[in-house]
Amino acid sequence: MGSLRVEPFPAGPGASLLPAALLLAAALLVGEAAAQSSAARTIYCCDVGGQPVCGDILPAACYGRAYRELSPSGIVRRTVPAPLTADEVTRRAELERQRRADEAERQRQQRLDQALLETYRSLDDLDRRRDRELRDVDRTLHELRAREAALLEHQRVLIQDATQTDKSDVAASLERDIRTLDSEIIAQRGVIEAKAKERAAVFERFAEDRRRYLELTAE
């Protein structure tokens, strides 16, 4: 039985080049991996007393401070602000509350504007409705004031009768009627005052609607 013989790697001009090429490739791969690892590394820096304090991990002196994340070459990758103080948290919450309130008001005004444009076909239509409502209020005011005038006239007659009678029982009865009329006149004047305020409110409402309608249609 024959023995197995291992032939040596053939010698030749290119035989010594192969191991060298493999070594070079390996060296290049190691160098590239090292470069990538270095490029991926992050340095953390903050300023303490005007001096930078840096480390591969965030230094303890940087806790609660603004800090920078840098590449090994010194390029700032990211800046992290310092944590907010209690006053700053309160201020931010207040600003957010105000922002939400402003947005709610903007949406409310938008709905009102849309309703206004849908309510009136034109400026003349708005003016006609205003005049109609004011006429209705004025008619009621006229009736209330006529009623007040009638009460005052009735009271004047009773006072005149009370001054001209000699009978005490008649005078006492007239006095009671006069006091009753006093109460009615006061109540009537209260109703007139309320109706006058209603008229002013109607006028003011239509004036504001007219102003806003002009703004919207001009836009």
Side-chain angles (χ1 to χ4, degrees):
M1 186 172 178
S3 60
L4 180 64
R5 189 172 61 149
V6 179
E7 294 291 339
F9 194 82
S16 62
L17 297 179
L18 183 58
L22 292 174
L23 290 174
L24 178 59
L28 289 174
L29 288 174
V30 171
E32 183 179 354
Q36 290 178 352
S37 176
S38 176
R41 194 163 61 93
T42 298
I43 300 173
Y44 302 90
C45 292
C46 68
D47 296 324
V48 179
Q51 297 297 323
V53 177
C54 301
D56 290 339
I57 61 173
L58 186 65
C62 295
Y63 293 170
R65 299 176 183 270
Y67 64 90
R68 302 175 297 281
E69 296 181 1
L70 294 82
S71 68
S73 61
I75 297 175
V76 177
R77 291 172 174 166
R78 187 167 73 108
T79 298
V80 179
L84 298 178
T85 65
D87 289 342
E88 288 171 338
V89 169
T90 301
R91 176 60 178 163
R92 185 175 66 176
E94 175 61 23
L95 290 174
E96 177 62 16
R97 186 200 64 78
Q98 185 61 48
R99 185 193 66 78
R100 291 175 182 243
D102 291 343
E103 177 61 17
E105 175 60 23
R106 185 192 67 77
Q107 293 181 4
R108 185 189 74 86
Q109 186 61 54
Q110 189 176 41
R111 291 192 297 270
L112 290 175
D113 290 344
Q114 185 63 32
L116 185 66
L117 293 173
E118 292 174 356
T119 300
Y120 305 111
R121 296 188 300 272
S122 65
L123 198 61
D124 289 340
D125 182 34
L126 187 152
D127 290 341
R128 283 193 296 270
R129 296 196 192 193
R130 176 201 60 200
D131 294 342
R132 183 167 60 248
E133 286 197 32
L134 289 176
R135 279 196 303 270
D136 291 342
V137 176
D138 287 342
R139 186 182 303 112
T140 302
L141 270 173
H142 178 74
E143 294 171 355
L144 291 172
R145 285 169 177 154
R147 171 61 179 165
E148 178 192 25
L151 291 172
L152 288 170
E153 177 60 20
H154 188 195
Q155 186 184 55
R156 185 190 67 79
V157 171
L158 290 180
I159 291 173
Q160 184 177 8
D161 291 346
T163 59
Q164 293 176 355
T165 184
D166 294 332
K167 297 181 179 179
S168 59
D169 57 338
V170 174
S173 176
L174 291 173
E175 182 66 25
R176 286 194 299 271
D177 291 342
I178 292 170
R179 286 197 299 270
T180 300
L181 282 172
D182 276 338
S183 299
E184 291 184 17
I185 291 169
I186 291 173
Q188 187 70 11
R189 286 174 176 171
V191 174
I192 291 172
E193 182 179 357
K195 185 58 68 172
K197 289 181 179 179
E198 179 185 336
R199 187 189 192 282
V202 169
F203 186 86
E204 183 178 349
R205 171 166 57 84
F206 274 99
E208 177 59 24
D209 284 352
R210 198 177 198 279
R211 180 195 66 78
R212 186 59 181 163
Y213 191 90
L214 283 171
E215 288 181 356
L216 294 173
T217 51
E219 292 173 1

